[in-house]
Amino acid sequence: MQLSDVRYQDVAQSQLQRALHSGRMPHAYLFAGPPGVGKEMLATRLAQVLLCPNAAVTRRVAVRDAALSNAPSAPAEAEAPVGLFGPLSDAGGEDDGGLFGAMDAPSSVDSGEAFVPVDVESATSNRAAPPPEKDCSIEACGQCVDCTLLTAGTHPDFHRIHRMLSKLHPNKEVRNRKATVLSIDVIRQFLLGPIGLRPSRGRAKVFVIVEAERLNQSAENAMLKTLEEPPDDSYLILLANSADSLLATTRSRCQKVVFGPLPTDFIVERLTAESKIARDTALFFAEMAQGSLGLAQRYVELGIGERVEALHETIRQAESEPLAASKRLQDIAKDLAGPLKKYQDEDEGDTNASRDAQLLVLAMIATLLRDTQRMAAGAKPILSEARMKQGKGPLPGTRHLRHVFRAINEAEYQISSNANTGLIFDSIGIALNRAGHLAV
Ligand SMILES: [Zn+2]
């Protein structure tokens, strides 16, 4: 697996490559962007580059060009005389690429490209270097002991910090507490303690803090000194859905890397390849996930596709029976709450599953209505036209649609505030009824 295999995050990729090429890696990064777009994958692959003794500059070339020039066509055949951070060690082991599961990007071979080593002089540590050439990236070797350990998830110098580590805390009182936040106890025990020790394998230590937005204030404050002056051989990478969810004092101590949403076509391609679902269903999920491959994959697993037709019928029902439609929407949400529970850990409980299911139903309605909005504006719908039941009457004006979207936004807020579910969905049923024929 390669750092550059993470797709469609070119801005983040080039920012990291510039730092690697310069030999002056920041010791604290904040990766910020929507969930499910590759933040953790890129963080783990960056960690691999930092921990691999054979990390070296490689050049991405088209396979046909490599064949013409007789260049090796796979990293296994490549020879890099000088490593990135010191002398090379013997390569060994196989990269099984299994760490990232379903979120892993296609391999370099799949993307029609190959990697060959080039001049690595500029990659030696502690030396300033010119900006990296286009398609020239620093990568881990994928074959040494460090790469093998990291890929297996057992590298002793790679630390994944998450809130559920509280269940492994030596203090029973901490273990028994609900782990809804990333607490100061977890940060002290699993980050501030180990970061002061020497790396087990002598090279570096990398700490990836997932769901950093769940750090509570005392935990963030406890990290400030370490973020300011981490030990020389330590790297911290905070992952957050939004940089604004962290204290300004934390943000200012980290180099920010922004991740954007993934293209709809890429998500559709991945979903249809992985799940053998129909293309229009994949398109619906991709639209609903708004650029998050992780969310779209979850929708497939949840079997939401089977509920889409019921949702169409319910929205049509709202034209004449808004309160009956409200009841049906609540039933669809109840059905979804069961499958959603497997994504909730024991400390989040049933309440979150119900709430998330209700939010999911609202997201499905909004996805269908965005197509009505497109058609009302004279544009082509993105979802299958065959699915849209037209001809029953004129489409609603944009003013009426705006009213429905506003009602959905308010409902999302009320669900998060634990307001009465029946009243929330009644207001959605009434908003749909007032909008008239929605062509879904
Ligand atoms: Zn390696």
Side-chain angles (χ1 to χ4, degrees):
M1 61 188 190
Q2 302 271 343
L3 192 64
S4 53
D5 284 346
V6 179
R7 308 273 299 273
Y8 298 107
Q9 296 299 349
D10 296 351
V11 174
Q13 291 270 9
S14 57
Q15 191 175 341
L16 296 179
Q17 284 297 339
R18 270 199 306 278
L20 284 166
H21 278 259
S22 75
R24 294 190 298 269
M25 279 296 288
H27 284 262
Y29 270 114
L30 167 58
F31 286 8
V37 297
K39 295 193 299 292
E40 186 167 1
M41 195 189 307
L42 199 61
T44 312
R45 292 181 185 199
L46 175 62
Q48 188 180 358
V49 173
L50 296 169
L51 295 172
C52 169
N54 306 329
V57 179
T58 59
R59 174 170 286 159
R60 186 183 278 257
V61 294
V63 167
R64 65 174 187 283
D65 294 342
L68 284 173
S69 64
N70 255 351
S73 61
E77 297 169 44
E79 288 179 18
V82 183
L84 177 57
F85 297 107
L88 299 184
S89 70
D90 289 335
E94 285 287 317
D95 179 0
D96 66 11
L99 179 60
F100 302 100
M103 281 296 286
D104 209 354
S107 73
S108 57
V109 174
D110 290 342
S111 59
E113 288 160 326
F115 291 82
V116 293
V118 295
D119 173 31
V120 292
E121 190 184 342
S122 64
T124 50
S125 60
N126 302 321
R127 289 191 52 182
E133 268 182 61
K134 194 175 180 300
D135 298 334
C136 197
S137 60
I138 290 176
E139 300 285 359
C141 76
Q143 298 172 11
C144 68
V145 174
D146 288 275
C147 283
T148 307
L149 287 170
L150 192 116
T151 305
T154 53
H155 198 296
D157 294 323
F158 178 77
H159 303 258
R160 185 177 184 272
I161 310 297
H162 54 96
R163 63 194 161 86
M164 295 309 284
L165 282 176
S166 67
K167 303 299 173 195
L168 303 175
H169 197 280
N171 185 325
K172 189 178 173 193
E173 202 180 303
V174 177
R175 286 200 302 276
N176 290 340
R177 218 179 285 152
K178 285 199 169 186
T180 49
V181 295
L182 191 41
S183 69
I184 188 169
D185 303 294
V186 168
I187 293 300
R188 280 195 184 127
Q189 179 71 25
F190 298 99
L191 194 153
L192 301 180
I195 207 168
L197 305 174
R198 291 187 60 76
S200 298
R201 292 186 52 78
R203 181 160 295 273
K205 301 176 297 268
V206 183
F207 295 80
V208 174
I209 297 112
V210 300
E211 291 187 305
E213 64 273 3
R214 294 222 197 196
L215 282 161
N216 63 15
Q217 196 165 339
S218 55
E220 265 192 80
N221 284 330
M223 285 174 63
L224 288 182
K225 192 170 175 300
T226 304
L227 286 171
E228 181 89 45
E229 292 175 26
D232 275 348
D233 50 11
S234 304
Y235 299 90
L236 293 101
I237 308 172
L238 281 71
L239 313 181
N241 293 340
S242 159
D244 293 339
S245 56
L246 295 167
L247 297 174
T249 44
T250 300
R251 294 199 303 270
S252 66
R253 285 163 172 79
C254 299
Q255 185 83 44
K256 187 172 162 191
V257 181
V258 177
F259 287 67
L262 300 168
T264 299
D265 287 350
F266 170 64
I267 296 176
V268 170
E269 176 198 317
R270 286 291 300 269
L271 294 185
T272 48
E274 287 168 2
S275 318
K276 311 288 178 233
I277 56 173
R279 191 175 166 76
D280 63 343
T281 306
L283 191 56
F284 177 79
F285 291 150
E287 273 289 300
M288 191 171 147
Q290 297 193 51
S292 167
L293 175 60
L295 276 182
Q297 286 168 326
R298 180 173 294 190
Y299 298 151
V300 175
E301 286 173 20
L302 284 169
I304 285 180
E306 295 157 24
R307 272 98 176 174
V308 175
E309 192 46 49
L311 201 70
H312 278 285
E313 285 168 14
T314 311
I315 294 174
R316 289 197 287 268
Q317 184 182 16
E319 284 183 39
S320 53
E321 303 171 275
L323 296 183
S326 159
K327 174 80 178 48
R328 205 161 164 198
L329 290 174
Q330 292 171 61
D331 289 342
I332 295 173
K334 274 184 201 149
D335 274 358
L336 280 170
L340 262 171
K341 272 185 199 158
K342 77 170 179 171
Y343 298 101
Q344 310 283 335
D345 50 56
E346 55 192 277
D347 287 355
E348 289 186 312
D350 295 351
T351 312
N352 274 16
S354 302
R355 191 194 61 196
D356 287 355
Q358 290 159 11
L359 292 172
L360 214 49
V361 169
L362 294 179
M364 290 164 78
I365 298 172
T367 305
L368 290 173
L369 294 190
R370 277 201 293 275
D371 247 4
T372 307
Q373 192 176 32
R374 286 185 193 102
M375 288 193 295
K380 200 174 175 321
I382 287 180
L383 303 173
S384 168
E385 281 187 73
R387 172 173 274 170
M388 311 301 283
K389 306 282 193 286
Q390 293 188 63
K392 283 189 179 175
L395 287 166
T398 48
R399 190 169 62 85
H400 284 106
L401 279 169
R402 261 206 310 276
H403 180 72
V404 182
F405 284 117
R406 200 176 306 127
I408 290 173
N409 284 344
E410 278 170 19
E412 284 171 346
Y413 173 76
Q414 286 169 345
I415 287 169
S416 305
S417 314
N418 295 321
N420 182 298
T421 308
L423 293 178
I424 293 171
F425 280 95
D426 284 356
S427 69
I428 295 292
I430 292 165
L432 289 169
N433 174 269
R434 285 191 181 153
H437 171 57
L438 290 163
V440 299

